[in-house]
Amino acid sequence: MYQTLMFSIITMLLLSACNTKEPIPMDLNEKHLIPKPSKVEATGSSFEITAATTIFYEEGKDDVKGMAQFLADFLQPATGMALAVEATATKPAGGIYLHFSALEGTNETYTLELNENLIDISASGEAGLFYAIQTLRQLLPASIEATSKQDTMWLLPSGKIEDSPNYTYRGAMLDVSRHFFQVQDVKKFIDYISMYKMNKLHLHLSDDQGWRIEIKSWPKLTAIGGSTEVGGGEGGFYTQEEYKDIVAYAKKRQITIIPEIDMPGHTNAALAAYPELNCDNKARELYTGTKVGFSTFCTDKEVVYEFIDDVIRELAAMTTGEYIHIGGDESHVTPLEDYIPFINRVQKIVEKYGKKVIGWDEIAHAELLPNTLVQWWAKADNAKKGIAQGAKVLVSPATKVYLDMQYDSTTHLGLHWAAYIEVDSAYIWNPATMVDGIKRDDIIGVESPLWSETITNLDEIEYMMFPRIIGHAEIGWTEASQQNWEDYRLRLAHQKERMEILGIDFYKSPLVDWD
Ligand code: ACM
């Protein structure tokens, strides 16, 4: 009896000694994070996520609880582990701990502190917690992106990361008008840009080739205007319920949807649906080509403003963000003396429904309301006209961030009217020094538009956005002084495995050593 007891005790001691594993040394600086964080201090050890790891959240904070659950849900497929999510009133000794703390910066600022026992995630707001989780994601092996259980150790290097974005507006645009994309594709697009800490998705919801958002008071917009697309395909549109679902999905990933109704030009789909929007009261033919600049609302008809009022009212009611985009680009058949009062009046309609205006750079010809943003895509002089009126600039130069521009002359998709944009060209530029007269303080941020004249499905979206969008995300997030092409191209190469596991069809630029 005594011998059996002694034997059991010795066996238990031996087993527990074996279970107390020495931490595995790891170097946080070798993690090749994108966007590059503000500050990284490596401490040479590691934390292992196991089935016993609990994700703790600060008691009484629903936002923190939501993020803790989001992390648990993210980790589950590849690890095969459903980690416990628990409230705590005090800092735990071990596990993953998410909490708020008053950090200097904005609600996007976060710190991530890892040692052998604890991953401590703090931020002043929900957004910061979300970005800490995106960083944590890149600290894990790329196989964390898999959708089925992977056999690996889930190790993260120890150390401390302090991080905060340079620009508050870091966005992408998807043109769902020239070709229509289903809700599930838009959600994928949201997943992709949120991985790299972008926070705005501008949806180009109307153009000559298609009207893509249900407006209940003007049902023919979608019934007729949404019925085709470039090339004559069947087109499509989002019901208001679907649009709200996209808005909610994006919000959970800290992304604000910016809806655009382009006007007074780029309006053929509406002009085909409602003859009264034309000066001659004749409905236009639906258009499935790719020319621009031929359509315009009849800017001196009252019914046009009644129409816009209804559209903006319904759109504003479904939009949680502060901005509505009114287009304003390439209105080549709208005389400037009609264009200016039109933009002036439409801004007031947007303001009436509690939203602020964004418009393409041409709108700077009008009298801008105090909070209107000018999106510089073509003419720096227009952006400067906006700045002279006190406006901030959203930087989207076609020569640098238009994702529909071809990489080089061999790219089988896209266009090249602005430039060929290789991966280095997309990265090596600074919004705040690109032209004289547009300075850091004039700029709210950066946005990368993907126009879809030649883009018909998610694979093609992925090929044109990846990997350039990753560089644009870094330009928006990371201080310009910390950006360096030689360093970036090494970090970018390390995104390859992650993109492959995610099933992203990306352009393997010869400028990057992917192996
Ligand atoms: C634009 O590319 N027409 C804004």
Side-chain angles (χ1 to χ4, degrees), residues 398-411:
T399 53
K400 289 292 173 192
V401 297
Y402 267 31
L403 296 169
D404 59 318
M405 290 298 113
Q406 294 168 330
Y407 294 96
D408 64 22
S409 61
T410 68
T411 310

Side-chain angles (χ1 to χ4, degrees), residues 263-278:
M263 55 189 143
H266 288 280
T267 43
N268 191 76
L271 298 170
Y274 287 102
E276 60 267 44
L277 303 177
N278 296 280

Side-chain angles (χ1 to χ4, degrees), residues 51-65:
T53 305
T54 297
I55 303 177
F56 293 98
Y57 65 89
E58 185 179 358
E59 192 174 77
K61 298 277 177 11
D62 280 349
D63 290 352
V64 186
K65 181 180 180 182

Side-chain angles (χ1 to χ4, degrees), residues 4 9 20 23 26 70 72 75 103 137 143 163-164 176 179 200 256 303 350 426 442 447:
T4 324
I9 289 172
T20 320
M26 282 184 90
F70 187 89
L75 294 172
L103 300 178
R137 184 173 176 177
S143 54
D163 203 8
S164 199
V176 297
H179 281 98
K200 303 281 189 285
T256 305
V303 66
V350 173
D442 302 319
E447 183 180 286

Side-chain angles (χ1 to χ4, degrees), residues 14-142:
L14 278 173
L15 275 177
S16 64
C18 292
N19 279 343
T20 320
K21 283 183 290 190
E22 279 298 305
I24 295 171
M26 282 184 90
D27 185 355
L28 184 56
N29 286 313
E30 280 177 8
K31 273 296 169 182
H32 310 288
L33 298 168
I34 304 182
K36 195 180 180 82
S38 315
K39 206 167 153 201
V40 176
E41 276 171 41
T43 52
S45 190
S46 62
F47 178 98
E48 184 185 2
I49 298 179
T50 69
T53 305
T54 297
I55 303 177
F56 293 98
Y57 65 89
E58 185 179 358
E59 192 174 77
K61 298 277 177 11
D62 280 349
D63 290 352
V64 186
K65 181 180 180 182
M67 278 301 153
Q69 192 57 54
F70 187 89
L71 175 59
D73 293 345
F74 168 72
L75 294 172
Q76 179 152 17
T79 63
M81 305 182 298
L83 301 187
V85 174
E86 283 179 22
T88 181
T90 53
K91 182 172 172 166
I96 302 174
Y97 173 42
L98 288 87
H99 59 108
F100 282 151
S101 64
L103 300 178
E104 218 174 289
T106 67
N107 70 334
E108 297 189 307
T109 307
Y110 70 90
T111 67
L112 186 51
E113 218 170 337
L114 305 95
N115 65 31
E116 288 139 17
N117 303 313
L118 185 71
I119 299 180
D120 184 323
I121 298 174
S122 64
S124 338
E126 195 184 18
L129 296 177
F130 181 81
Y131 298 136
I133 290 171
Q134 299 316 307
T135 298
L136 187 141
R137 184 173 176 177
Q138 290 189 34
L139 296 180
L140 282 160

Side-chain angles (χ1 to χ4, degrees), residues 411-422:
T411 310
H412 61 289
L413 296 166
L415 306 167
H416 58 261
W417 57 263
Y420 291 115
I421 309 178
E422 246 297 354

Side-chain angles (χ1 to χ4, degrees), residues 266 329-330 360 377 402 417 451:
H266 288 280
D329 56 320
E330 298 175 308
W360 298 106
W377 68 281
Y402 267 31
W417 57 263
W451 300 99

Side-chain angles (χ1 to χ4, degrees), residues 18 24 102 130 138 142 145 167 190 214 241 312 333 420 454 478:
C18 292
I24 295 171
F130 181 81
Q138 290 189 34
E145 308 297 343
Y167 291 104
I190 289 168
E214 178 191 18
E241 286 314 303
I312 299 295
V333 295
Y420 291 115
T454 69
T478 304

